[in-house]
Amino acid sequence: AQTVTQSQPEMSVQEAETVTLSCTYDTSESDYYLFWYKQPPSRQMILVIRQEAYKQQNATENRFSVNFQKAAKSFSLKISDSQLGDAAMYFCAVRNNAGNMLTFGGGTRLMVKP
Amino acid sequence: DAGVTQSPTHLIKTRGQQVTLRCSPKSGHDTVSWYQQALGQGPQFIFQYYEEEERQRGNFPDRFSGHQFPNYSSELNVNALLLGDSALYLCASSYLAERSTDTQYFGPGTRLTVL
């Protein structure tokens, strides 16, 4: 079984500043994948970034980057130069290589102040 | 390139009724997964369909059933609706052959309200 924990129900950041969202997970698999999804009020889940557990290099996508600590089972998301459009619910998820089931955390609501 | 589509957008039913939700996958995708997202929570995996068969199932009762058609579209059926079935139902599609690198793309969801 896999579990994902997001300990920050809400976070707030000033526009143009940097914010980090935390995520810890537990899995017995040695090969797995980690994801951050964004869910704006429109409800559609949008992929932000993904990380393969076998890769030591942290993934980056424009203003979004991760800090992947495999031994600590930690997968945090850093958003640089925050924009008003970044305001949304952010979900961390894990998937093992054998299946295709995503296990999600409870989410973090990010608010961006102008 | 059309993304994942779901219908209807909203649905209101009463306890004991049955409901059918529909999903069309992203072009080129062959696998459909369904998730239930209760208000204020993360999505929970219901099941996944590939080659018209249920490939994997989460911890949901048999009242939840599904189907995948030859064109890869899918239906989620829920029988004997309970108040607790009120949720956002999300469909996600992916390409199984690229399982090691695939990404699940989500539709906009169907909001089900059970009265």
Side-chain angles (χ1 to χ4, degrees):
Chain A
Q2 300 170 125
T3 60
V4 179
T5 301
Q6 295 179 248
S7 60
Q8 305 154 317
E10 285 190 0
M11 291 286 285
S12 180
V13 63
Q14 205 70 34
E15 194 176 6
E17 296 294 311
T18 296
V19 64
T20 298
L21 308 183
S22 301
C23 171
T24 57
Y25 62 92
D26 193 18
T27 178
S28 57
E29 304 291 331
S30 58
D31 190 11
Y32 54 92
Y33 299 82
L34 298 158
F35 303 84
W36 278 98
Y37 280 90
K38 167 186 177 181
Q39 188 177 41
S42 65
R43 309 178 322 197
Q44 186 146 9
M45 201 76 75
I46 302 165
L47 178 71
V48 174
I49 199 166
R50 58 172 282 152
Q51 173 81 41
E52 291 88 343
Y54 64 86
K55 290 186 177 179
Q56 293 186 348
Q57 185 174 7
N58 289 324
T60 62
E61 283 289 342
N62 300 315
R63 298 182 296 108
F64 300 88
S65 62
V66 300
N67 183 5
F68 174 46
Q69 301 290 328
K70 190 171 184 178
K73 294 185 177 177
S74 170
F75 182 59
S76 61
L77 173 69
K78 185 172 81 171
I79 306 174
S80 304
D81 186 25
S82 297
Q83 301 174 359
L84 295 177
D86 294 334
M89 285 292 292
Y90 284 81
F91 292 96
C92 177
V94 62
R95 175 180 71 78
N96 63 29
N97 196 32
N100 209 15
M101 177 184 79
L102 287 168
T103 300
F104 286 86
T108 296
R109 180 176 302 281
L110 178 65
M111 295 173 286
V112 181
K113 299 178 180 178
Chain B
D1 180 22
V4 180
T5 61
Q6 291 187 244
S7 63
T9 304
H10 296 90
L11 205 51
I12 299 175
K13 293 285 186 179
T14 58
R15 282 178 294 175
Q17 285 189 312
Q18 178 266 343
V19 68
T20 297
L21 310 181
R22 295 176 177 82
C23 171
S24 291
K26 181 178 170 66
S27 178
H29 285 181
D30 58 6
T31 303
V32 173
S33 303
W34 287 92
Y35 294 83
Q36 180 195 66
Q37 186 178 18
L39 195 62
Q41 298 182 22
Q44 298 287 320
F45 175 76
I46 302 174
F47 43 52
Q48 181 185 87
Y49 277 85
Y50 171 69
E51 290 190 339
E52 302 180 48
E53 291 190 357
E54 186 181 288
R55 179 169 175 267
Q56 193 175 6
R57 188 178 182 94
N59 189 25
F60 278 80
D62 292 344
R63 298 187 297 108
F64 290 77
S65 63
H67 188 77
Q68 186 179 35
F69 299 94
N71 66 353
Y72 307 118
S73 67
S74 176
E75 288 182 350
L76 164 65
N77 300 292
V78 187
N79 295 322
L81 284 167
L82 304 174
L83 295 179
D85 295 332
S86 294
L88 179 67
Y89 288 84
L90 296 167
C91 168
S93 73
S94 54
Y95 183 45
L96 190 62
E98 296 179 349
R99 186 175 59 197
S100 63
T101 59
D102 76 334
T103 293
Q104 292 192 18
Y105 292 88
F106 284 81
T110 294
R111 171 72 66 189
L112 172 65
T113 302
V114 182
L115 302 177

